[in-house]
Amino acid sequence: HAHRDEGGVGSSLYDKHAYGKCGSQVCEEDQSETYEVETEDIVAYLRRVAKPQDVIILRMDIEGAEYEVARRMITGGVACWIDFWEFEGHSMYSPATAKYRPVDGVLPWLLRACGVDMMVQDWYTEDVKVFDAWNHSDPCRDCPLPVILDTPDTS
């Protein structure tokens, strides 16, 4: 599902995301277009073009699909190959992805153990349209993003 307007160009694999119907505008009728796209298995791709000792920098901004891709990278054994990972989370852009909200906090903590330097970006509270699209039945709609900090044991 894609849109283009003065707010920019955007897309998502999910049809009920914050910008799915009208882009950055507010409208009644659906103005998005649907496209079929070819995908590639990221684990197979990384194994084909890289080695674990290579310096790998990854920017992941795939409009909600990043959670399934990150899981595939972990289970496929290549997530720890990444040296720096910029992860743009979209869990709160769609009711279909809201269940992944804790991943935004847990993923950097989890991968830090194998040396991945991860930066998670999200725009949940800065973008009114995204904030309005949050799952309204979520009792923690206004809760901050969970973050797990590694702190030294002082006991």
Side-chain angles (χ1 to χ4, degrees), residues 15 17 21 27 39 46 66 79 92 99 101 107 116 140:
D15 66 346
H17 66 97
K21 190 165 94 166
C27 66
T39 61
L46 283 172
E66 61 273 8
M92 301 311 291
K99 63 187 174 191
R101 187 169 186 218
L107 193 60
V116 177
C140 197

Side-chain angles (χ1 to χ4, degrees), residues 88-150:
E88 187 166 319
H90 294 86
S91 64
M92 301 311 291
Y93 280 58
S94 162
T97 57
K99 63 187 174 191
Y100 298 122
R101 187 169 186 218
V103 176
D104 293 349
V106 172
L107 193 60
W109 170 80
L110 187 66
L111 293 176
R112 193 175 313 132
C114 65
V116 177
D117 182 11
M118 178 175 269
M119 176 176 64
V120 174
Q121 294 183 321
D122 67 67
W123 312 108
Y124 307 144
T125 59
E126 297 173 29
D127 186 323
V128 173
K129 194 161 185 180
V130 171
F131 190 80
D132 286 344
W134 283 16
N135 183 347
H136 294 285
S137 66
D138 183 353
C140 197
R141 178 181 155 113
D142 298 319
C143 296
L145 174 68
V147 176
I148 300 172
L149 300 174
D150 283 332

